Amino acid sequence: MSSGKKVVGIVGSYRKGGTIDTVVSEVLAEAENQGAEISKIYLQDRQIEFCTNCRVCLQEPGPERGDCVLQDEMDGILQEVEAADSLVIGAPVNFGNINALTQRFLERCICYGYWPWNTPSPQMRKSEASKKAVLISATAMPGFIARWLSGAIKSLKTLAKMLGAKPIGVIFVGKVISKHGGLSDKIKRQARNLGHKLVV
C-alpha cells in the first residue's frame, strides 16, 4: 500500500534515541504504516550556520524563499522539507523555550519572509499552509504546566508556519527524567493517531 505522501521528521533534540526522537519515530512509523514515504532530519548532524540578520534573503519579492548568502546545508534541508506533504517537528524545552539548536534552524527560516529595507514589517511570501504538521516537545516539568509556562509550542507553531505547514496536533511529554526515550502507552497512542492523520 502506498499513499504517495512524503512525511519528513525534523528532530531538534541533542539526544538520538531520547524522548523527542522516540516520539517523532512513533509518528513517522504510523505514517509509514499508512503507506507514506518517511525520512528524518537530525539537525545536530547538519551544518547550519547562525543567521547574521543581513536580510539579503528578504529583499527580493516572489512566491519562493529568498536566497541565503551562507554556504552550509540549510538549502538542502529546506529542499527536503519543501518536497514533503507533511512534517513532524520535535524540540525539547531548554530554559523555558525550544533549545538553541532548533532556534538556530527557526531563525534561518526567515528566508520564507519578504521584508525589504525601509518597510515597517515583514510578510510571509505564501499566505496559505499547504502541509500538515505534528508538533512535539518534552520537558522535566509536568506537561500541563510547561505547556502554558514555556514558549516552546508557540515557537514550534512559528516554525511550522515558516515552513508552510498547519499543525493538526501537539504532543507535549512532561516529567521527563530519563535520557532514554521510554514512552507511556498514552503517548504512543497519541503519536500513532496523529501519524495516521498526517497521511489520510
Side-chain angles (χ1 to χ4, degrees):
M1 176 181 70
S2 175
S3 69
K5 300 287 183 67
K6 297 181 71 173
V7 182
V8 172
I10 301 172
V11 178
S13 173
Y14 303 110
R15 296 192 182 98
K16 292 183 179 179
T19 300
I20 296 294
D21 188 16
T22 304
V23 180
V24 170
S25 295
E26 284 284 334
V27 178
L28 290 176
E30 182 56 33
E32 187 174 39
N33 286 341
Q34 298 301 317
E37 176 187 341
I38 65 169
S39 62
K40 189 189 291 186
I41 297 169
Y42 288 102
L43 295 183
Q44 68 171 345
D45 289 344
R46 304 294 188 98
Q47 181 195 2
I48 303 173
E49 300 296 333
F50 287 100
C51 177
T52 63
N53 196 30
C54 71
R55 287 176 58 172
V56 169
C57 67
L58 295 168
Q59 301 308 303
E60 297 298 324
E64 307 304 324
R65 60 184 158 95
D67 293 327
C68 182
V69 299
L70 298 174
Q71 301 298 309
D72 57 11
E73 294 185 60
M74 192 67 183
D75 180 67
I77 295 171
L78 295 182
Q79 287 184 39
E80 291 181 61
V81 169
E82 289 162 358
D85 298 288
S86 299
L87 305 174
V88 186
I89 309 172
V93 174
N94 282 15
F95 282 84
N97 211 314
I98 55 173
N99 61 339
L101 178 62
T102 312
Q103 180 65 33
R104 179 170 61 182
F105 178 68
L106 169 58
E107 290 181 16
R108 289 291 301 280
C109 290
I110 192 64
C111 58
Y112 288 105
Y114 175 58
W115 194 7
W117 293 108
N118 301 315
T119 56
S121 60
Q123 58 184 344
M124 293 291 295
R125 292 176 184 270
K126 294 181 179 180
S127 58
E128 294 185 6
S130 59
K131 307 179 192 296
K132 298 177 183 177
V134 170
L135 309 180
I136 298 164
S137 194
T139 177
M141 290 187 286
F144 72 95
I145 295 177
R147 199 177 176 104
W148 303 112
L149 293 183
S150 80
I153 298 304
K154 181 179 179 181
S155 293
L156 290 175
K157 286 181 178 179
T158 299
L159 177 54
K161 180 179 179 180
M162 298 304 290
L163 296 174
K166 181 179 180 179
I168 62 165
V170 173
I171 300 175
F172 207 127
V173 185
K175 296 184 179 180
V176 177
I177 58 174
S178 172
K179 68 178 182 179
H180 304 293
L183 304 178
S184 68
D185 290 340
K186 179 181 178 181
I187 294 296
K188 288 179 180 179
R189 286 194 301 271
Q190 189 178 1
R192 290 168 186 160
N193 180 52
L194 290 174
H196 179 83
K197 288 182 178 180
L198 283 178
V199 178
V200 299

